[in-house]
Amino acid sequence: MTPPLLHPRLEPPWLVAELGASLRVLSFAPYRSGFVMADRIVWRELRNADLPVDLAVSDWVTAEMTEAGHTEAVGMLTSRDVTKFQRKETRVEGARVAAIATVGLGNAERIGTRTPRDWSFERYGTINIAVQITEGLTEAAQIEALSIATQARTAAVVDAGLRLPHGPVTGTGTDCIAIAAPKGDTAYAGLHTALGEAIGAAVYQTVAEGAAVWIKENPEMMRNVFGA
């Protein structure tokens, strides 16, 4: 039997995605960013009250990860309800990819601009994405895979149709993406490759479905922030 990729486990306020082995993970996550070895990627759900202005966020994240037994994981933060995650697995030719995303759009942004915000009330923002790839990748290919996942995220957000005064929303101010794969010799993961197609499809579908759920749940914010 083929082992599952990114096997999800809910332990609120945690969402844990098991990788099934120690893999090289590339991310810009708030906990263990860059290239690291990890056997799981985790989300920690939080609210504004968890992070007062004078708090050292890195220290808080480290303490939370340690207390929960996730010191060797890659950790992301989200104000989205972690039970609302989306998961998709795709296969294209020999490429097999899975993606999990939690999608909130309350702190949406348009690339190249910054929207003035009132942070005194709760905003359910952040798109956090984990991707697991079965092919063994070079470091350069893993960086390219991250860029493909980013393109897919942006395409899904643009297709969701939200607009700010400067133009269509392209993401949020606190998005995070983590790519897990074995070390190997596959040198390319671009749009002309089966792997790039599989990454793009998995990420696009998870973000698109998550965005649709969030939009349906937040009619007041859709009116007040996006004029929809």
Side-chain angles (χ1 to χ4, degrees):
M1 183 177 178
T2 304
L5 303 181
L6 282 182
H7 182 65
R9 187 174 77 249
L10 277 169
E11 300 175 353
W14 300 91
L15 167 62
V16 181
E18 299 285 357
L19 302 175
S22 182
L23 302 178
R24 186 171 62 196
V25 180
L26 170 63
S27 78
F28 45 98
Y31 183 80
R32 297 193 74 219
S33 59
F35 281 108
V36 300
M37 298 299 294
D39 63 2
R40 61 198 181 279
I41 299 168
V42 303
W43 289 247
R44 171 58 160 90
E45 182 182 335
L46 49 75
R47 293 290 178 265
N48 288 350
D50 294 319
L51 300 175
V53 174
D54 58 348
L55 181 71
V57 176
S58 61
D59 293 342
W60 182 87
V61 173
T62 299
E64 288 291 304
M65 296 289 287
T66 301
E67 183 177 353
H70 295 312
T71 55
E72 299 303 314
V74 169
M76 301 187 285
L77 301 177
T78 181
S79 58
R80 186 66 167 126
D81 180 346
V82 292
T83 69
K84 303 293 181 69
F85 73 90
Q86 308 293 322
R87 181 188 179 280
K88 293 292 178 183
E89 185 170 325
T90 57
R91 295 173 185 257
V92 178
E93 299 171 12
R96 182 178 172 217
V97 173
I100 290 178
T102 53
V103 181
L105 297 167
N107 66 340
E109 291 285 6
R110 166 73 182 177
I111 193 72
T113 65
R114 284 188 294 165
T115 305
R117 302 213 177 266
D118 177 5
W119 297 110
S120 63
F121 65 95
E122 196 72 68
R123 285 181 178 271
Y124 296 94
T126 310
I127 302 170
N128 284 292
I129 305 164
V131 179
Q132 184 175 357
I133 298 164
T134 56
E135 286 190 46
L137 306 181
T138 64
E139 285 193 357
Q142 198 159 352
I143 293 169
E144 186 173 31
L146 181 64
S147 79
I148 298 301
T150 304
Q151 287 189 57
R153 183 269 335 256
T154 302
V157 172
V158 170
D159 288 351
L162 305 185
R163 294 188 65 86
L164 291 168
H166 305 297
V169 168
T170 57
T172 86
T174 47
D175 288 354
C176 187
I177 303 173
I179 305 283
K183 298 177 182 179
D185 298 327
T186 297
Y188 302 103
L191 294 178
H192 291 314
T193 68
L195 178 55
E197 180 181 345
I199 295 168
V203 173
Y204 181 93
Q205 291 171 34
T206 57
V207 175
E209 291 185 8
V213 171
W214 184 91
I215 288 169
K216 186 176 180 179
E217 290 178 351
N218 291 275
E220 184 177 356
M221 190 171 289
M222 290 297 296
R223 290 191 300 271
N224 295 340
V225 177
F226 304 111

